[in-house]
Every structure is written in C-alpha cells, then in structure tokens.
Amino acid sequence: MRIAAADVIVTSPSRNFVTLKITTDDGVVGWGDGTLNGRELAVSAYLAEHVVPLLIGRDAHAIEDTWQFLYRSAYWRRGPVTMAAIAAVDMALWDIKAKVAGLPLYQLLGGASRVGLHTYGHASGRDLPELFDSVRATLAEGHRSVRIQTAIPGVKAVYGVAAQAQASGERYDYEPAGRGPLPTEEDWDTGAYLRHLPTVFEAVRNEFGAELPLLHDGHHRMTPLQASRLGRSLEPYDLFWLEDCTPAENPQALEVVRRNTITPLAIGEVFNTVWDFQHLISNQLIDYVRAASTHFGGVSPLRKVMDFAAQYQIKSGFHGPTDVSPIGFAAQVHVGLSIHNFGIQEYMLHSDRTNRVFDQGMTFVDGYLHPSDRPGLGVDFDEQVAAEFPYQRAYLPFNRLPDGTMHDW
Ligand code: EZ4
Ligand code: CO
C-alpha cells in the first residue's frame, strides 16, 4: 500500500488548524494534525514544500521508517515546526494503519488499560466569586479535576484568565491567540503573583473541600527560587501538579525546585522530543509528562517517552489545549487509553464551529474520555466545511514588566 497523495489544509473555524491528509493508492485516507499556534503557515510550508514530495510512493505501512527518514534525512533535527510536521505524518499513517486493520488505534497500541481517561478542565476568574462559578461550571461539564488560574491584583491581563465573566454552565472558551495583525501586550508582576496565589488556593480549598484535585499552570514565568517558594507555599493545598514553573529550556532549574518542595511537578508542553525529557525523567525531577502528540512528533514518540517515564513511575499529563486539533487530541487519547502509566488528560472542549469541520467520535461520559471504537483515530475531516473558514493571522500575546523589560508570557 503506497502513499498516492498528501495534501495540507489550513482552516480557521474558530482558530487556525493545520491538517495533513494522506491518501493511499487503494483509497484509504489518514488525517494528521500539525497545528502550531501562532506559527501555522511555517508548518504548512514545511509540509507542502519539504515533506509531501518525499511521501509520494512510500509504503504507507512503514510508519517508524518514515518517521526516522523525516527526522534524520533533514539533518536539521527537532524544533517545533519540524516536529509538528513530522507529527502530522505520523498520525496520518497510524490513522491509515488502524483503518486498514478495522480497529481503533488504541487496539494497535496494546489495547485499553482502563475504561476511559480522567480529565481536568480549566477554571479561572477575576475574583473569587467568578472563580468559584467557573469551578462549578467545569465540574458540571463532567471534569473531576480542575486547573485554577486567577487574576493578580495590579496586573491587567494574566495568562489563563478568561476576559469575560463565565456564567454557570456557559462553555469555557479562553483562547489566548488573538486574530489580528499584531500580538497583544500583557503585563506581569511575580511578587504580586507569589503573594496572591496561595490565598486563592486556600479559598478554593475552603469552598470545595479537600478531595477535589486542583492544578495550576505557572506558564514558565518563575526563577528556580521563586518556583520553589510557590511550590512550598502551595503544599498545604495539596496540588495535583504545578505546571511549567520555570522556563523549559533549563532542566537544571527543576533540580532546585525539586529540592525545595514536594508539590508535584509537570512540564513539557513546548518540548519537541524525548531528549528534552532525558535529564528530567532520568533524575526523577518531574511527575508528569506534558508533551502533546502534535508538538512531539506524533503517536510514535509519545509512546516511547511514556515507556521511558514508566521506569521512574512518572505518568502522562498530555497537553490538551484547543490549539491541538481534534485529530491531534484523539491521537493522544488513544495513547492515554493504552499505556499503563496514564496520569490525567487536559481537556478543553473545541468550539461547535470547530466540530463542524472535525467530526469527533470521542465521548466524554461520567468523567471518562474515550476515543470511540471507530477504526483509526476516530476523527473525520470535512474539507468542504473547512473551506468556508480561511486562515486568519493570529498571534499569542507577550509579556512586559512595568519598566518595559520583556518577560515570559
Ligand atoms: O498557552 O496552548 O497548559 N496549557 C497552556 C496553553 C498554552 C497554549 C499556547 O498555544 O499552557 O494554554
Ligand atoms: Co501550560
């Protein structure tokens, strides 16, 4: 079975998505996700110019060899654009293989290790009443664990806080990437954050009790010592994890944090390869792997990093924002269902408009995500509906401190 055609489709139903369609000579179609938020056309050009011509005529079943070929033959390895492009190919080929087998992908990965995936949803608020309403809305959606993000006194705009009040039951639709010609500037004050956040977690614990698993995303903004202080000051509130507390480039930073706090640590949403996790996993500096199939080279490397992590009792916590398309999301739900060391799955619902383009088989019942038993990944892509929504330039925001210094967003 040979690859007869490969097409790159960029669509923007309510945000931009890069989708790869691979068609075999006997007419089987596989779908892959190569979306890189704010840099989408770099991946679509990488695919169209440099990958698609290499795919035509290749054995569609040779997933590992194709992955290694794309990784090694470029000479220039890793990086978000390259690895998102390779991810799209890897996913599309797994989709094809599973469709040919007539099985949902998780069956090819060893079968189900659980009935479904526990998720966490997002809650945020500009003040405590708004945050509490948001937590209730998140629980009402079926999540059993909740990520808490909050406004900070004196800071005008903070990552993770929806700009508009969310009435109970209203769908959470925070999307940081703004469509428009230029990115928006936000501000930041680490001191105010370190003082304020523990008071918010204390209030949430008092309102919702000891048992609700709570998470928080530090979004790469702290120094090792600041992150240590935060981790320690949150220990009384028993976090499920503290995510991305320090910038991702420096794995040694986590050694400092680890020495100083027993708050569990998660990192890796901007990591591209297993090498980025090597030091962190082998030195047991983290508790959860935050990689996303789409930004990590696809299904194949996600399996590999989780097998490596399993030796150290480190679990999965795959990145699940809406900028991972329903295809990329399904890919990692299949991985999560099949591996033994599954931890939790972040789950932000895609918009109704996105779901018109991507027909998702996935179900979310009684707090359990299941990828469905459709053959393949379980997602169908409607090219006609996609064509109604052309690409729109969008950028993630950035941060400056009050004196104008650039800071991690
Ligand atoms: O900011 O995916 O944990 N989730 C996150 C995300 C990222 C976006 C960037 O595109 O940190 O919301
Ligand atoms: Co994050």
Side-chain angles (χ1 to χ4, degrees):
M1 190 177 59
R2 300 274 152 194
I3 296 173
D7 302 284
V8 187
I9 302 151
V10 182
T11 181
S12 194
S14 43
R15 49 161 315 108
N16 292 314
F17 294 109
V18 178
T19 304
L20 179 69
K21 176 188 185 185
I22 293 183
T23 310
T24 69
D25 52 8
D26 40 12
V28 184
V29 170
W31 300 103
D33 176 29
T35 306
L36 186 61
N37 202 5
R39 294 293 185 272
E40 297 86 359
L41 297 190
V43 184
S44 77
Y46 190 105
L47 280 167
E49 295 295 326
H50 305 299
V51 173
V52 166
L54 307 178
L55 294 177
I56 308 304
R58 290 185 71 82
D59 178 1
H61 275 307
I63 301 176
E64 181 67 17
D65 182 65
T66 298
W67 195 99
Q68 298 294 343
F69 171 68
L70 294 175
Y71 185 75
R72 292 170 194 279
S73 70
Y75 185 67
W76 309 107
R77 298 181 186 191
R78 312 194 295 165
V81 175
T82 298
M83 299 313 292
I86 295 177
V89 176
D90 183 84
M91 281 177 213
L93 293 181
W94 276 111
D95 194 21
I96 287 169
K97 191 186 283 294
K99 281 173 178 165
V100 170
L103 293 169
L105 174 60
Y106 72 84
Q107 294 291 13
L108 274 56
L109 302 177
S113 289
R114 56 195 52 77
V115 296
L117 309 190
H118 272 303
T119 64
Y120 73 90
H122 291 189
S124 72
R126 288 169 297 184
D127 53 25
L128 289 176
E130 196 174 289
L131 176 61
F132 291 175
D133 282 350
S134 179
V135 172
R136 288 189 193 98
T138 304
L139 293 172
E141 276 181 359
H143 301 285
R144 298 181 189 195
S145 305
V146 182
R147 187 185 86 159
I148 301 293
Q149 304 297 128
T150 173
I152 311 296
V155 179
K156 290 189 285 295
V158 180
Y159 162 76
V161 180
Q164 273 151 28
Q166 290 169 239
S168 267
E170 200 177 291
R171 178 175 284 191
Y172 177 92
D173 62 355
Y174 173 71
E175 168 46 57
R179 299 196 202 194
L182 292 171
T184 54
E185 182 175 322
E186 299 186 348
D187 55 339
W188 185 244
D189 178 344
T190 305
Y193 169 69
L194 295 179
R195 286 188 296 275
H196 185 63
L197 193 65
T199 69
V200 170
F201 271 90
E202 182 182 23
V204 171
R205 272 284 169 242
N206 287 339
E207 180 73 13
F208 293 97
E211 285 173 20
L212 179 63
L214 299 175
L215 303 86
H216 178 72
D217 189 348
H219 228 242
H220 307 116
R221 287 192 220 98
M222 285 167 275
T223 66
L225 215 59
Q226 290 166 344
S228 301
R229 177 179 152 195
L230 184 67
R232 202 179 272 188
S233 62
L234 293 175
E235 281 173 16
Y237 314 115
D238 187 24
L239 263 62
F240 186 93
W241 79 36
L242 173 61
E243 170 184 347
D244 290 345
C245 59
T246 52
E249 297 93 325
N250 180 15
Q252 274 81 19
L254 274 295
E255 290 173 13
V256 178
V257 183
R258 200 59 151 175
R259 271 201 297 278
N260 286 308
T261 179
I262 57 164
T263 291
L265 302 175
I267 201 163
E269 68 184 42
V270 302
F271 288 2
N272 309 134
T273 72
V274 67
W275 303 104
D276 298 328
F277 281 107
Q278 186 183 37
H279 184 79
L280 297 174
I281 289 177
S282 60
N283 290 284
Q284 308 192 81
L285 300 179
I286 57 170
D287 303 281
Y288 296 93
V289 167
R290 284 287 286 154
S293 58
T294 305
H295 305 128
F296 202 71
V299 168
S300 305
L302 210 52
R303 274 295 301 239
K304 293 175 189 178
V305 75
M306 290 319 302
D307 286 344
F308 176 35
Q311 298 174 47
Y312 301 89
Q313 295 168 284
I314 296 170
K315 296 184 175 182
S316 69
F318 300 147
H319 191 208
T322 51
D323 45 282
V324 169
S325 92
I327 295 166
F329 193 73
Q332 60 195 23
V333 170
H334 283 278
V335 174
L337 191 64
S338 60
I339 58 176
H340 175 249
N341 54 333
F342 168 77
I344 199 166
Q345 177 59 58
E346 182 182 33
Y347 180 34
M348 288 175 75
L349 278 67
H350 285 103
S351 72
D352 294 338
R353 202 183 258 196
T354 294
N355 289 330
R356 283 185 56 215
V357 176
F358 299 86
D359 171 29
Q360 303 196 53
M362 189 176 70
T363 55
F364 185 45
V365 179
D366 296 333
Y368 289 117
L369 263 184
H370 192 282
S372 90
D373 282 322
R374 289 183 185 175
L377 292 171
V379 182
D380 280 323
F381 184 89
D382 189 323
E383 292 175 83
Q384 277 178 349
V385 180
E388 290 173 26
F389 306 114
Y391 167 77
Q392 284 185 270
R393 180 169 293 135
Y395 287 104
L396 286 165
F398 65 97
N399 266 347
R400 282 192 194 277
L401 302 179
D403 71 354
T405 306
M406 279 291 300
H407 194 71
D408 301 293
W409 170 68

